[in-house]
Amino acid sequence: MDWIMVTGQPGAGKTTAVKAMVDFLQRRGVFCKGFYTEEVRGKGGSREGFDIVTVPDGKRGVLSRKEGFKSKFKTGQYFVDIPS
């Protein structure tokens, strides 16, 4: 298989499924490469934005935030960090 794309409603378990799948495949010697996004929550538990996490090395970068930086690129209430 060349690639897999996972879509679905918020809270459906997409990130959890992708992380489990990557772990499962890597433990069996399958090379995985790509990325997934992970929710970033604030102190009160509210969603502040999303990080992008690369596979296989786990490097993390800002994908979007409600506040903290400004960008001319925006989706809904989130400013998007295109260079990430």
Side-chain angles (χ1 to χ4, degrees), residues 55-83:
V55 174
D57 56 8
K59 291 182 182 174
R60 180 179 293 268
V62 171
L63 177 62
S64 65
R65 294 290 188 275
K66 288 181 182 176
E67 299 176 354
F69 73 90
K70 298 294 180 194
S71 168
K72 68 179 183 177
F73 303 102
K74 193 172 179 186
T75 180
Q77 56 189 334
Y78 299 98
F79 293 95
V80 180
D81 184 12
I82 297 296

Side-chain angles (χ1 to χ4, degrees), residues 2-84:
D2 292 332
W3 59 274
I4 298 172
M5 182 172 161
V6 179
T7 64
Q9 294 295 316
K14 300 174 297 291
T15 301
T16 302
V18 167
K19 289 166 70 173
M21 186 182 335
V22 167
D23 181 58
F24 176 85
L25 292 169
Q26 286 178 331
R27 284 188 282 120
R28 283 156 181 77
V30 177
F31 178 73
C32 298
K33 184 175 182 180
F35 69 90
Y36 59 89
T37 60
E38 200 159 54
E39 198 174 52
V40 175
R41 295 264 176 189
K43 292 180 183 178
S46 63
R47 184 185 293 157
E48 292 184 352
F50 296 89
D51 281 353
I52 187 164
V53 183
T54 59
V55 174
D57 56 8
K59 291 182 182 174
R60 180 179 293 268
V62 171
L63 177 62
S64 65
R65 294 290 188 275
K66 288 181 182 176
E67 299 176 354
F69 73 90
K70 298 294 180 194
S71 168
K72 68 179 183 177
F73 303 102
K74 193 172 179 186
T75 180
Q77 56 189 334
Y78 299 98
F79 293 95
V80 180
D81 184 12
I82 297 296
S84 286

